[in-house]
């Protein structure tokens, strides 16, 4: 199950966040800061799947934008990785030049 969806720029600013289970506002900011730090600090040669606390992070970079999805341990990482790509393709078709 997807726990959250984040769109973050290279400077670490959250551009979009969507949570699919209740998380308090102050915990969200701490969670986002840690997740962003973990994903942005990784090199392009490293895997796009990261174990973090009690869930997994699946992220993908498109130019200056990182899309990060938090999932539980039972979810398929490759399916979520493909979901991110399909989401970006839909945005590109709808808005053009995403």
């Amino acid at each position: 199950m997807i726990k959250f969806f984040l769109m973050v720029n290279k400077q670490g600013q959250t551009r979009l966040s969507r949570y699919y289970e209740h998380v308090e506002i102050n915990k969200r900011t701490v969670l986002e800061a840690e997740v962003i730090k973990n994903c942005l600090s990784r090199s392009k040669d490293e895997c796009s799947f990261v174990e973090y606390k009690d869930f997994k992070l699946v992220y993908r970079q498109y130019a200056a934008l990182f899309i990060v999805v938090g999932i539980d341990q039972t979810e398929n990482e490759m399916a979520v990785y493909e979901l991110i790509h399909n989401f970006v393709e839909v945005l590109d078709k709808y808005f053009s030049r995403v």
Side-chain angles (χ1 to χ4, degrees), residues 2-17:
I2 296 176
K3 296 184 178 238
F4 60 85
F5 185 92
L6 299 173
M7 293 178 89
V8 181
N9 65 9
K10 275 190 175 180
Q11 289 76 33
Q13 299 169 324
T14 304
R15 295 298 177 195
L16 174 94
S17 66

Side-chain angles (χ1 to χ4, degrees), residues 13-74:
Q13 299 169 324
T14 304
R15 295 298 177 195
L16 174 94
S17 66
R18 175 74 175 136
Y19 290 84
Y20 296 100
E21 56 184 33
H22 178 69
V23 180
E24 295 176 15
I25 297 297
N26 56 355
K27 290 184 180 179
R28 284 184 187 190
T29 56
V30 172
L31 174 72
E32 287 178 19
E34 291 175 1
V35 165
I36 291 167
K37 182 179 146 198
N38 280 342
C39 292
L40 267 61
S41 66
R42 295 173 64 87
S43 71
K44 290 187 178 195
D45 298 332
E46 293 181 278
C47 181
S48 294
F49 311 138
V50 181
E51 296 273 339
Y52 177 75
K53 292 190 179 178
D54 61 340
F55 51 90
K56 297 177 189 176
L57 302 175
V58 179
Y59 70 94
R60 199 159 180 171
Q61 182 181 4
Y62 291 93
L65 189 67
F66 283 82
I67 299 175
V68 184
V69 179
I71 58 175
D72 61 9
Q73 296 291 338
T74 61

